[in-house]
Amino acid sequence: MCELYSKQETLALRRKHIGPSCKVFFAADPIKIVRAQRQYMFDEKGDQYLDCINNVAHVGHCHPEVVKAAQKQMELLNTNSRFLHDNIVEYAKRLSATLPDRLSVCYFTNSGSEANDLALRLAWQFRGHQDVITLDHAYHGHLSSLIEISPYKFQKGKDVKKEFVHVAPAPDTYRGKYREDHADPASAYADEVKKIIDEAHNSGRKIAAFIAESMQSCGGQIIPPAGYFQKVAEYVRGAGGVFIADEVQVGFGRVGKHFWSFQMFGEDFVPDIVTMGKPMGNGHPMACVVTTEEIAEAFSASGMEYFNTYGGNPVSSAVGLAVLDVIKNEDLQGNATRVGNYLTELLNKQKTKHTLIGDVRGVGLFIGIDLVKDHQQRTPATAEAQHIIYKMKEKRVLLSADGPHRNVLKIKPPMCFTEEDAKFMVEQLDGILTGLEEAIGAETESVISKNTPCRTKMPKEAQSELLRDSSLDPRENPSQKRNGLCTDSLLSKRLRT
């Protein structure tokens, strides 16, 4: 493998020249990746890792058709989008064809954060309102405007929620306020949004937008109950606001049956604005906002020109077109359905076998495994999740954990992921869960007393990671119960992977 520096030299240079808040995966023992192909990544030693988390390399790492399209166009021309060029309009035409008819006007950007920031500008300009409703645990990007509407971020830092931001409960039917045993969780969660709207109006404020991922990713792989978005859209539009669907992580066929995740909630639900990014360019920086003619006209009427130097440039558009071709030609939506269903079936079998698995949820190749210490209380198994992630890395399988308690294993691999990959991943997970549960005496679903003597230790790397990250969600249970793991006061700490 071709390297400029040894792994230790690279780490030293990173510590010296890269900002300390820029984290790496498995920070206690990071992997140095030097090459990737399809759903596999390779380190400097040539060791192969199965990538189960990289939804950026959507059609597969270094897909030859995408690489060829970029190289061919780069040899010919790359310039800003103020020059007339066929690629941007061809891509806009094909992208619009995947969406409901009323969503037909595109604004190209370079990242999902840029796209969501622009979506807010469109919403603010449309009616002249300012207030935004967001979901608890949501993350919409790293720009200042987006940190303000991302509880996933601002609740962990020193920022105070802005007056124009309103946080609605995440529509989580496993761990949330209204669960699977509720008669109508969709209406109950939507009524929470209606309550926010009423309170805002009573305070003299006006709603500009409701923004939500079609399926919450950082919030813990949350799939809203059927009918929720329709009711929320009705309430928000009735208040003069617009509905923004954030598809940055979950779009482009990841759910299998539909090209966009919001489409799985029914034809009677169409957002006013849709944002997209990450998988759009298969790793090439490319993103977009798509909206209606009415909203676009209102934005133009402000008199301010929108100009993005690189957004929709000839090379980016060529890459985007190649990604669309690969999704279609290789039937990656069909693959997401087939492999996703197979993987979910395997994981549900593991759920009946392992008490640590509280819930398996997802659609297509977007799946979450909610780990718990007991099924009745659904106490998050945070430390256990970090233990599993590092053990899976040792088995050459890359997973991460997220959610407000960092206890949900996230599975969102490249779309070329196969049934053989799914089987291999689950076999490794089964072995690790078996060993962990045997070690901590998890034969029952009861929470083990914190006075139980330690029986096993977490991997040293996972302990170091937990010690390093002291940012706590203030709403997490500060309980120090360790379920037999020798983690001292670490259980409520968090691992960022």
Side-chain angles (χ1 to χ4, degrees):
M1 301 296 177
C2 181
E3 294 181 87
L4 292 176
Y5 307 104
S6 69
K7 181 176 177 179
Q8 292 306 313
E9 289 172 330
T10 301
L11 281 169
L13 286 168
R14 185 178 178 98
R15 283 192 288 267
K16 181 177 180 180
H17 296 296
I18 306 299
S21 58
C22 301
K23 307 294 184 181
V24 295
F25 287 132
F26 309 105
D29 182 27
I31 306 169
K32 185 177 183 181
I33 296 297
V34 298
R35 182 172 68 89
Q37 193 70 37
R38 292 179 65 80
Q39 64 272 46
Y40 305 107
M41 305 181 84
F42 301 86
D43 67 13
E44 80 282 7
K45 301 174 185 175
D47 291 334
Q48 175 181 290
Y49 293 83
L50 177 62
D51 182 0
C52 299
I53 57 176
N54 212 320
N55 62 333
V56 177
H58 190 63
V59 300
H61 291 280
C62 305
H63 194 288
E65 294 302 317
V66 178
V67 172
K68 183 169 66 176
Q71 182 179 5
K72 182 179 178 181
Q73 182 58 52
M74 193 171 287
E75 289 176 343
L76 188 63
L77 170 71
N78 198 25
T79 186
N80 70 56
S81 55
R82 299 183 80 168
F83 289 101
L84 195 63
H85 196 273
D86 288 343
N87 284 7
I88 187 171
V89 294
E90 174 65 12
Y91 186 77
K93 182 181 77 171
R94 288 187 54 186
L95 184 68
S96 297
T98 68
L99 290 156
D101 290 343
R102 64 189 295 261
L103 294 168
S104 59
V105 182
C106 301
Y107 296 88
F108 290 100
T109 66
N110 307 290
S111 70
S113 290
E114 281 187 49
N116 281 330
D117 177 77
L118 179 56
L120 291 179
R121 289 179 58 193
L122 291 171
W124 287 328
Q125 178 63 33
F126 184 53
R127 298 291 191 200
H129 303 170
Q130 182 188 23
D131 287 29
V132 176
I133 302 173
T134 187
L135 292 177
D136 203 4
H137 314 309
Y139 174 67
H140 294 290
H142 63 82
L143 301 183
S144 297
S145 63
L146 304 173
I147 296 297
E148 290 177 344
I149 64 164
S150 296
Y152 180 81
K153 288 292 186 181
F154 73 66
Q155 288 175 344
K156 296 177 184 178
K158 297 179 181 179
D159 293 338
V160 177
K161 183 179 76 66
K162 301 295 190 291
E163 190 177 3
F164 73 90
V165 177
H166 309 275
V167 180
D172 180 355
T173 57
Y174 179 72
R175 192 177 289 286
K177 185 175 182 179
Y178 308 109
R179 300 186 175 185
E180 70 276 5
D181 57 353
H182 191 279
D184 187 1
S187 293
Y189 277 116
D191 286 345
E192 294 284 337
V193 177
K194 179 65 162 59
K195 188 186 306 181
I196 287 173
I197 293 172
D198 292 341
E199 291 174 353
H201 284 181
N202 291 338
S203 301
R205 308 193 67 87
K206 294 182 178 180
I207 302 299
F210 172 91
I211 184 170
E213 290 181 280
S214 301
M215 299 187 295
Q216 234 183 2
S217 181
C218 291
Q221 312 294 89
I222 304 301
I223 292 82
Y228 170 72
F229 282 149
Q230 283 90 334
K231 293 179 185 296
V232 169
E234 177 186 346
Y235 296 149
V236 171
R237 288 167 181 157
V242 300
F243 192 111
I244 303 171
D246 180 343
E247 292 266 341
V248 170
Q249 296 221 48
V250 296
F252 290 89
R254 179 157 294 278
V255 296
K257 184 178 179 181
H258 302 284
F259 201 82
W260 303 104
S261 294
F262 74 79
Q263 292 172 320
M264 69 182 180
F265 297 104
E267 293 183 1
D268 59 337
F269 170 63
V270 179
D272 302 293
I273 302 172
V274 177
T275 61
M276 55 199 74
K278 292 188 191 302
M280 192 173 184
N282 208 53
H284 182 90
M286 187 179 187
C288 188
V289 180
V290 185
T291 189
T292 65
E293 290 184 4
E294 183 183 12
I295 293 174
E297 288 297 329
F299 188 57
S300 179
S302 71
M304 183 185 295
E305 177 188 10
Y306 173 73
F307 169 54
N308 189 311
T309 302
Y310 299 110
N313 68 72
V315 171
S316 294
S317 297
V319 167
L321 287 165
V323 171
L324 293 179
D325 287 339
V326 173
I327 292 172
K328 180 180 178 181
N329 296 339
E330 297 185 7
D331 188 26
L332 293 185
Q333 280 186 253
N335 188 67
T337 296
R338 291 186 296 272
V339 178
N341 288 345
Y342 177 68
L343 177 54
T344 300
E345 179 184 349
L346 292 180
L347 290 172
N348 277 319
K349 289 179 180 177
Q350 293 298 309
K351 180 182 172 184
T352 65
K353 180 179 179 181
H354 296 292
T355 58
L356 279 170
I357 298 179
D359 190 36
V360 174
R361 52 182 177 262
V363 185
L365 287 174
F366 182 86
I367 299 170
I369 307 171
D370 199 311
L371 300 179
V372 299
K373 292 193 291 185
D374 66 287
H375 281 237
Q376 185 175 359
Q377 298 297 322
R378 302 182 180 182
T379 308
T382 301
E384 292 83 350
Q386 318 318 320
H387 175 93
I388 289 167
I389 287 169
Y390 274 87
K391 283 295 185 182
M392 289 292 279
K393 180 172 76 86
E394 292 176 8
K395 300 292 185 181
R396 304 291 187 263
V397 178
L398 303 182
L399 282 176
S400 66
D402 222 325
H405 306 286
R406 296 279 176 180
N407 69 305
V408 180
L409 303 182
K410 299 191 341 182
I411 304 171
K412 45 188 181 65
M415 296 274 281
C416 51
F417 203 73
T418 67
E419 290 187 358
E420 290 74 21
D421 297 323
K423 183 178 179 182
F424 176 75
M425 188 214 82
V426 174
E427 285 175 349
Q428 307 314 306
L429 181 62
D430 179 28
I432 292 168
L433 284 170
T434 298
L436 180 59
E437 288 174 343
E438 287 177 353
I440 63 179
E443 298 88 4
T444 71
E445 297 179 2
S446 301
V447 177
I448 299 177
S449 167
K450 66 180 180 181
N451 296 319
T452 301
C454 283
R455 299 185 184 90
T456 188
K457 292 186 177 182
M458 296 177 67
K460 182 171 64 176
E461 297 88 350
Q463 287 197 42
S464 299
E465 189 74 26
L466 289 168
L467 280 168
R468 178 179 291 107
D469 184 7
S470 60
S471 62
L472 295 175
D473 186 327
R475 294 156 303 163
E476 287 189 15
N477 185 348
S479 167
Q480 301 303 311
K481 292 177 181 178
R482 296 186 291 275
N483 210 9
L485 285 166
C486 296
T487 58
D488 298 325
S489 62
L490 301 177
L491 192 56
S492 60
K493 302 287 179 79
R494 306 270 275 294
L495 171 67
R496 297 183 187 273
T497 61

